């Protein structure tokens, strides 16, 4: 198998020293999806073979008052 590498590496920070450490590593596999907030500190390991797809999206929303709601006061 020539497919290796390509992990997504997540980092944390020690609460007292703020020193960065590797908190989790997710290896790519067919059908696997990783979803996380874009401000999460992470890195992509070099992909040694095969294919890895990345999809990035921003989701924006706002709260809309229910216009059909009757005021019963």
């Amino acid at each position: 198998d020539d497919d290796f590498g390509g992990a997504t590496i997540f980092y944390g920070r020690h609460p007292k020293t703020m020193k960065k450490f590797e908190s989790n590593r997710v290896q790519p596999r067919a059908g696997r999806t990783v979803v996380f907030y874009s401000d999460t500190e992470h890195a992509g390991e070099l992909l040694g073979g095969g294919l890895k797809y990345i999809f990035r999206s921003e989701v924006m929303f706002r709260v809309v008052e229910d216009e059909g709601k009757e005021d019963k006061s």
Side-chain angles (χ1 to χ4, degrees):
D1 189 357
D2 292 334
D3 299 348
F4 59 93
T8 301
I9 304 164
F10 295 95
Y11 298 100
R13 296 227 176 234
H14 189 280
K16 291 184 180 176
T17 65
M18 295 307 290
K19 185 176 179 179
K20 184 166 71 171
F21 63 93
E22 185 179 315
S23 63
N24 200 0
R25 173 182 291 260
V26 181
Q27 284 299 135
R29 291 204 172 90
R32 179 175 280 175
T33 301
V34 180
V35 179
F36 55 92
Y37 290 106
S38 61
D39 62 350
T40 302
E41 196 168 353
H42 67 284
E45 184 179 66
L46 184 63
L47 185 62
L51 294 173
K52 179 179 177 180
Y53 296 96
I54 298 172
F55 173 80
R56 184 181 187 280
S57 178
E58 297 287 330
V59 177
M60 300 172 69
F61 64 92
R62 66 185 171 127
V63 176
V64 178
E65 295 295 324
D66 185 2
E67 295 176 15
K69 189 176 183 181
E70 291 183 29
D71 185 10
K72 297 185 180 185
S73 54

